[in-house]
Amino acid sequence: MAYRSASDVDVASRALVMSGTKPINSFEDGTVEADVARLLYEDIAAAALTSTSWRFAMTQRELNRLSVKPVGRGVIAWQVPADCLQIRALTINSTPAAFERYENNLHTDAVDENSVAVLEYTRRVDTASWPPHFVIAVQHMLASEFSIAIGQNEQLSNLHAQKGQMLIRNARSIDAQGRTNSVMDTKRYLNHRRT
């Protein structure tokens, strides 16, 4: 059986069931469950997405230079993309660059007017693109919050919180396999051994 991608409502609804409450068909159902899910869902999803450098949520984008010069630190200001949840790295002309973030701007010391800045960042990926191991972890995180907010059940909340943390650790391990392994430079050890 193929994996069935999830929607925001699917993830929230499963988490509600896990917390001992009723599932929802929409965030606008008008029930207590739907209201709580609507109010908490996006914050918890964003927190989970920014908890590590998830490969499935990473993207790169060339930044737009702003015409307004920084007043204090930095020489050039760049616009942070609207879908940016967490900045992971900035390169200018393919070289890692230092920056300071001020609101939705990045200030850098790049002085070349032809500089190209590329930002690597975590974005809010559509829920249907979340891998299964991440979906399950987020459902437990949500169930922990729903158990308190709706069911007033601290014991169940703690159980889901612990399981969610364990599943996030496992998801990190699985997600880390989405890149080429680093090759360890053994020359330095061999040289040390020979001395």
Side-chain angles (χ1 to χ4, degrees):
M1 184 172 154
Y3 173 69
R4 182 177 66 99
S5 62
S7 70
D8 293 330
V9 172
D10 290 337
V11 173
S13 193
R14 289 182 212 143
L16 285 163
V17 170
M18 291 164 66
S19 70
T21 60
K22 296 177 184 174
I24 59 172
N25 294 315
S26 162
F27 288 122
E28 306 303 324
D29 280 358
T31 63
V32 170
E33 292 84 359
D35 290 343
V36 169
R38 184 184 71 251
L39 292 170
L40 297 180
Y41 181 83
E42 200 56 43
D43 290 337
I44 293 169
L49 284 165
T50 57
S51 68
T52 197
S53 297
W54 299 107
R55 301 314 308 164
F56 71 89
M58 296 286 282
T59 192
Q60 294 180 348
R61 182 171 298 162
E62 189 173 316
L63 299 181
N64 295 322
R65 181 191 325 265
L66 298 173
S67 58
V68 177
K69 301 266 185 213
V71 174
R73 294 183 180 183
V75 177
I76 295 177
W78 308 89
Q79 180 69 50
V80 174
D83 64 345
C84 177
L85 291 178
Q86 181 79 35
I87 295 172
R88 300 299 177 183
L90 175 69
T91 59
I92 297 180
N93 300 329
S94 301
T95 303
F99 64 89
E100 293 284 338
R101 182 173 185 171
Y102 296 96
E103 297 178 353
N104 288 323
N105 302 332
L106 295 183
H107 295 186
T108 67
D109 288 330
V111 292
D112 179 6
E113 289 299 319
N114 297 317
S115 295
V116 176
V118 176
L119 188 67
E120 182 175 320
Y121 63 95
T122 300
R123 65 187 176 91
R124 173 54 165 97
V125 181
D126 183 55
T127 308
S129 298
W130 292 0
H133 50 272
F134 184 76
V135 170
I136 293 168
V138 171
Q139 286 173 178
H140 279 281
M141 293 170 71
L142 287 163
S144 173
E145 298 301 322
F146 295 162
S147 296
I148 288 289
I150 301 169
Q152 306 289 308
N153 188 334
E154 189 173 346
Q155 185 177 2
L156 185 58
S157 175
N158 290 337
L159 177 71
H160 283 299
Q162 289 171 0
K163 189 152 186 181
Q165 289 172 1
M166 180 195 70
L167 290 167
I168 284 288
R169 283 192 301 273
N170 291 343
R172 282 184 184 128
S173 177
I174 293 167
D175 189 69
Q177 297 170 26
R179 61 174 20 175
T180 304
N181 290 335
S182 301
V183 178
M184 184 165 45
D185 181 13
T186 59
K187 290 178 189 172
R188 145 177 113 155
Y189 298 107
L190 291 173
N191 290 338
H192 179 72
R193 200 170 159 197
R194 290 180 186 146
T195 58

